[in-house]
Amino acid sequence: MTAKRVFISGAGAGLGQALARLLAAEGAQVCVADIDAAAGQATADEIGGTFVPCDVRSVDDFTRAAAWLQDSWGGVDLVINNAGVAQMGPMEKTTIDDWQWIVDINLMGIVRAAQVFTPLFRAQGHGTYLNIASMAGFLYLPNAAAYNATKAAVVALSETMMLELEDAGIVTHVACPSFFRTDLAKNMRASDADTERVTKRLVERSRLGADDVAKAVLDGLARGDRHILTHPQSRKAWRMKRWLPFDRYLAMMRKEIAKMDARMAQRPKNL
């Protein structure tokens, strides 16, 4: 990893915090950005970095962060668009307000960052974006329409950035982790109690934690992977979706989801 000056949104906890720790350990200057000032400052203090407040729904916050990076560090080499939220529940029960909330953060947060940081990257003659999407951008589970749609949009946006910005020396990568132990469920919106319970279980019972996923993401970045897929089982499922006739893929997914539902139904509801 060669980036020396790094900006990470949503770095006060979870994957963003894990990425900040690893990058700082590699010697990078890390600018920790978060809407939660206490959490962001704590992460910055821990790693010897700098905290800047940033709500990804605000172009002004990104503009102030970019100005600070330019004035204090002479620019930035790597921008990690990590901040994100989850909304789960049946599509017909998901409110328009919830749709607008998740789109504004998961998708438009990256759009705002790109509009602010791309001119800075162009002036430098180089720069790297790492956009954090999800395997939900490729493999769509039921009761997650809004989350699936925003993460698929992040993949599409990232691939568009690859096409549009490379001639200016700006490289884009997109990371697509599957379920892992993180704080995502803590701030999740859910349309019903059962969906919330199942989603939190999937997160809490995941084999990998944020540190594991952060290492896989940075390893993929170091290899130059454009799509960084952190979970072996998800890579296998993605290949099957690409290679199988789609009806066979849907049938396979329905069987897997039925097995998962059966396992969940056998467990006490308070777990």
Side-chain angles (χ1 to χ4, degrees):
M1 183 65 207
T2 58
K4 300 299 183 185
R5 302 166 297 179
V6 184
F7 171 90
I8 311 175
S9 68
L15 180 57
Q17 183 183 63
L19 288 166
R21 287 170 174 159
L22 286 178
L23 287 163
E26 292 178 358
Q29 293 176 287
V30 179
C31 180
V32 173
D34 206 288
I35 192 172
D36 184 334
Q41 188 64 61
T43 298
D45 291 344
E46 175 191 339
I47 66 172
T50 299
F51 169 69
V52 296
C54 185
D55 180 346
V56 298
R57 295 168 293 186
S58 168
V59 172
D60 289 344
D61 279 8
F62 278 119
T63 300
R64 282 189 287 269
W68 184 92
L69 289 162
Q70 185 65 52
D71 293 343
S72 302
W73 293 350
V76 61
D77 301 302
L78 171 63
V79 170
I80 303 179
N81 290 307
N82 166 76
V85 293
Q87 197 291 328
M88 301 293 177
M91 190 164 61
E92 69 270 22
K93 293 183 179 179
T94 302
T95 67
I96 295 301
D97 178 67
D98 280 353
W99 273 96
Q100 291 172 334
W101 171 74
I102 196 170
V103 168
D104 202 19
I105 295 170
N106 288 5
L107 174 59
M108 294 307 298
I110 297 178
V111 171
R112 294 180 185 101
Q115 289 191 335
V116 169
F117 284 108
T118 297
L120 193 159
F121 280 167
R122 287 187 184 277
Q124 293 177 168
H126 74 278
T128 299
Y129 285 111
L130 171 58
N131 298 331
I132 306 299
S134 166
M135 280 310 297
F138 293 120
L139 306 173
Y140 313 127
L141 292 176
N143 297 322
Y147 188 71
N148 293 342
T150 58
K151 293 304 184 179
V154 170
V155 173
L157 175 64
S158 299
E159 293 182 4
T160 304
M161 292 167 68
M162 294 173 196
L163 291 168
E164 287 191 11
L165 302 178
E166 262 193 12
D167 288 347
I170 303 169
V171 179
T172 302
H173 305 260
V174 59
C176 300
S178 188
F179 288 111
F180 65 95
R181 296 187 304 278
T182 183
D183 290 338
L184 184 68
K186 183 174 69 174
N187 298 315
M188 176 184 69
R189 291 187 182 183
S191 303
D192 59 80
D194 283 343
T195 300
E196 181 176 12
R197 175 175 52 81
V198 169
T199 304
K200 287 184 176 180
R201 272 187 181 165
L202 288 169
V203 171
E204 292 163 1
R205 293 175 180 270
S206 298
R207 293 178 181 176
L208 299 183
D211 292 339
D212 304 308
V213 174
K215 184 179 185 305
V217 168
L218 294 184
D219 286 347
L221 189 64
R223 288 192 303 268
D225 296 350
R226 295 310 188 91
H227 299 88
I228 302 171
L229 310 183
T230 59
H231 290 58
Q233 286 301 109
S234 296
R235 287 197 294 271
K236 179 181 176 182
W238 183 41
R239 292 188 185 103
M240 294 183 76
K241 181 179 180 180
R242 295 168 67 195
W243 295 340
L244 287 175
F246 193 64
D247 284 345
R248 284 188 59 191
Y249 166 77
L250 285 178
M252 180 195 74
M253 287 297 292
R254 288 189 183 106
K255 287 181 181 178
E256 291 301 315
I257 291 165
K259 290 179 185 177
M260 183 176 68
D261 288 345
R263 288 195 297 269
M264 289 293 180
Q266 293 171 358
R267 293 171 180 162
K269 288 193 175 184
N270 61 342
L271 294 181

